[in-house]
Amino acid sequence: MIIKVIGLEDCSRCENFKKSLGEKRITFQYSTCDKNPEVCDGLESLVNSHLYPICLLSDEHDNTLEVLFLAENMSQLDTGPRSVADILCVPFYSTNNLVEYVIKKLY
């Protein structure tokens, strides 16, 4: 599984998420929105959230399977995961929940 993290410059949540993944010795690729603004715009539209980090889980062929994101409101959490064009969009309450989910997917 390939893990890609998309974040923002000077984003404390993004830094904490990267740190947590590193502490768990989870290998990931990191990119910021200033380097790929069109990717970030597309992801924000896909998940209907402007919060970062956003985490992409891809297969060995780099096909995105899941987009993990921080929910902007309770209704996104209540709705739960939803599929859009064969990609599972999964909302989370916190970056800690995101890390726990990634660990479960890996092991």
Side-chain angles (χ1 to χ4, degrees):
M1 178 173 294
I2 299 169
I3 301 168
K4 296 179 183 178
V5 178
I6 313 291
L8 301 172
E9 293 291 328
D10 301 320
C11 168
S12 60
R13 283 188 310 268
C14 301
E15 292 303 318
N16 289 337
F17 185 64
K18 289 181 351 186
K19 181 180 176 186
S20 294
L21 291 176
E23 288 172 351
K24 302 290 185 188
R25 301 193 188 284
I26 296 173
T27 302
F28 62 95
Q29 301 168 11
Y30 183 74
S31 181
T32 58
C33 288
D34 63 320
K35 294 179 183 170
N36 297 303
E38 64 284 344
V39 170
C40 292
D41 290 344
L43 287 170
E44 290 175 12
S45 293
L46 179 70
V47 300
N48 196 29
S49 178
H50 296 88
L51 298 179
Y52 285 86
I54 295 176
C55 184
L56 310 177
L57 303 182
S58 304
D59 65 15
E60 65 276 1
H61 303 291
D62 208 22
N63 298 310
T64 301
L65 304 174
E66 296 184 45
V67 178
L68 316 178
F69 67 99
L70 296 173
E72 285 191 352
N73 55 58
M74 289 304 294
S75 66
Q76 288 177 319
L77 292 171
D78 291 341
T79 303
R82 61 185 175 83
S83 289
V84 179
D86 294 328
I87 297 172
L88 185 63
C89 300
V90 187
F92 290 90
Y93 175 75
S94 71
T95 55
N96 290 338
N97 297 129
L98 264 166
V99 171
E100 290 171 11
Y101 185 84
V102 170
I103 291 168
K104 287 179 184 176
K105 294 297 285 190
L106 289 173
Y107 305 109

